[in-house]
């Protein structure tokens, strides 16, 4: 779905009925507190944009690639009236993408700050925290976003773009409505975070509506297997998230500066934390899926493993 326009967060001074003190909202933050223990910075337009860029990276690199690869087969099956084949391909795609997006969600939630500092080296402590908070909110919508894309391609395989449009309308209303509600009930420091949460909720609504529509079109979906896979992946992701959080805490202790902690990470330190934390989380996640006999892990990792083996042989 098209991303909403960047939000117009208020300045911290305006939120306190003292307009003009901090100026216009154009950067990553509209005003940074003197210390993180006092208050959080108010995220600005650039914080939203940077968080959206990071959020879309795993989706663009993996989900879109898998959906594109499956589209040709689904189109041929839809044209031939082979609904069973379309159901099979859709189920396989949603389950395979789900293995990845559940893990990506865990990584972006746990390692949001070091990932932000790694990919946006220019951010300071206040800006990095502002972007990472928005990123965590957006990351919660990665799993339904993956399902939405695959289901959209099924509609396109049946040459039905109109239904996709009308299903997206309620999702857009949710996005706009919840975003507006957030500006009414949340403190200014969380307004852009609220928009990130609204995006995630909008994705969930849209994937639910597309599921209902495709169940009628395909005369049923492989719902039980899809749900079972996501439950198993979710359990493995919870365990790997705890492991990733442990790596972060260990780094704070070893850094010897608990007052600044993870907020004062340099770019090189962010590289180390993301590399070590991501590796630990990946190994724990893969181990958990193996213990639960999740075969979709092999389907996702198979092409990558094969490519690495070919490079080693050369």
């Amino acid at each position: 779905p098209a991303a909403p326009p960047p939000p117009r967060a208020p300045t911290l001074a305006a939120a306190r009925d003292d307009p003009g003190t901090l100026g216009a909202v154009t950067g990553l933050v509209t005003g940074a507190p003197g210390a993180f223990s006092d208050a959080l910075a108010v995220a600005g337009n650039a914080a939203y944009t940077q968080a959206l860029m990071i959020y879309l990276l795993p989706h663009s690199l993996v989900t879109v690639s898998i959906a594109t690869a499956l589209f040709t087969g689904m189109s041929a099956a839809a044209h031939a009236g082979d609904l069973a084949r379309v159901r099979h391909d859709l189920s396989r795609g949603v389950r395979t993408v789900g293995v990845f997006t559940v893990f990506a969600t865990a990584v972006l939630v746990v390692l949001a700050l070091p990932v932000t500092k790694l990919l946006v080296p220019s951010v300071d402590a206040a800006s990095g925290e502002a972007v990472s908070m928005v990123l965590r909110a957006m990351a919660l919508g990665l799993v339904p976003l993956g399902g939405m894309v695959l289901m959209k391609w099924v509609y396109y395989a049946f040459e039905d773009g109109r239904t996709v449009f009308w299903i997206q309308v309620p999702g857009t209303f949710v996005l706009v409505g919840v975003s507006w509600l957030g500006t009414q009930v949340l403190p200014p420091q969380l307004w852009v975070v609220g928009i990130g949460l609204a995006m995630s909720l909008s994705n969930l609504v849209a994937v639910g509506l597309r599921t209902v529509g495709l169940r009628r079109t395909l005369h049923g979906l492989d719902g039980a297997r899809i749900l079972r896979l996501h439950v198993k992946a979710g359990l493995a992701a919870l365990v790997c998230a705890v492991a990733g959080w442990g790596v972060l805490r260990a780094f704070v202790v070893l850094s010897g500066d608990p007052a600044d902690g993870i907020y004062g990470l340099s770019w090189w330190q962010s590289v180390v934390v993301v590399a070590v934390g991501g590796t630990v989380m990946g190994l724990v996640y893969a181990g958990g899926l193996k213990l639960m006999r999740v075969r979709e892990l092999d389907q996702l990792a198979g092409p990558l493993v094969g490519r690495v083996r070919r490079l080693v042989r050369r």
Side-chain angles (χ1 to χ4, degrees):
R8 291 289 179 180
T11 61
L12 197 58
R16 294 172 179 170
D17 298 324
D18 184 17
T21 301
L22 293 178
V25 183
T26 57
L28 284 164
V29 296
T30 68
F36 273 93
S37 58
D38 297 332
L40 292 172
V42 179
N45 290 5
Y48 170 89
T49 302
Q50 297 289 5
L52 184 65
M53 175 194 71
I54 300 171
Y55 157 74
L56 289 176
L57 273 177
H59 169 76
S60 303
L61 293 174
V62 176
T63 303
V64 174
S65 299
I66 293 175
T68 303
L70 290 173
F71 179 65
T72 302
M74 288 192 297
S75 295
H79 182 72
D82 188 355
L83 299 185
R85 174 65 185 277
V86 177
R87 281 197 305 269
H88 174 269
D89 286 351
L90 174 61
S91 174
R92 181 163 62 97
V94 171
R95 286 182 283 115
T96 304
V97 167
V99 169
F100 172 76
T101 53
V102 170
F103 174 67
T105 299
V107 170
L108 291 183
V109 169
V110 175
L111 303 180
L113 185 57
V115 166
T116 297
K117 293 204 168 188
L118 171 64
L119 297 177
V120 192
S122 61
V123 297
D124 56 18
S127 298
E129 177 63 1
V131 174
S132 64
M133 288 180 63
V134 180
L135 177 58
R136 290 186 185 100
M138 290 181 176
L140 298 177
L142 264 179
V143 175
L145 179 62
M148 283 172 56
V149 170
L150 287 161
M151 292 178 180
K152 177 183 70 176
W153 284 113
V154 174
Y155 280 109
Y156 288 169
F158 285 98
E159 301 180 359
D160 183 9
R162 180 180 297 179
T163 301
V164 175
F165 170 81
W166 286 113
I167 285 178
Q168 193 57 40
V169 170
T172 302
F173 274 114
V174 169
L175 173 58
V176 174
V178 175
S179 297
W180 174 83
L181 181 62
T183 64
Q184 305 302 307
V185 301
L186 295 175
Q189 293 90 338
L190 298 179
W191 281 13
V192 183
V193 176
I195 292 173
L197 290 173
M199 288 178 59
S200 297
L201 181 59
S202 173
N203 290 350
L204 189 61
V205 170
V207 80
L209 292 175
R210 292 182 187 185
T211 298
V212 172
L214 286 179
R215 183 178 289 118
R216 290 197 298 263
T217 301
L218 301 178
H219 305 308
L221 293 176
D222 194 10
R225 291 179 68 191
I226 294 173
L227 179 61
R228 188 161 54 246
L229 176 280
H230 282 83
V231 170
K232 290 180 179 180
L235 292 174
L238 285 175
V239 178
C240 86
V242 172
W245 180 83
V247 170
L248 281 178
R249 295 307 306 165
F251 185 87
V252 170
V253 172
L254 293 175
S255 69
D257 191 4
D260 198 22
I262 202 70
Y263 302 111
L265 283 176
S266 67
W267 185 83
W268 283 108
Q269 289 172 327
S270 298
V271 172
V272 173
V273 172
V274 171
V276 175
T279 300
V280 170
M281 292 181 71
L283 292 174
V284 172
Y285 183 70
L289 294 183
K290 284 289 187 182
L291 287 176
M292 290 183 283
R293 299 178 181 179
V294 175
R295 292 178 296 175
E296 288 79 6
L297 176 64
D298 298 328
Q299 297 174 2
L300 179 65
L304 178 61
V305 173
R307 183 173 300 178
V308 171
R309 287 176 178 173
R310 287 192 297 271
L311 290 174
V312 170
R313 289 172 184 172
R314 291 178 184 175

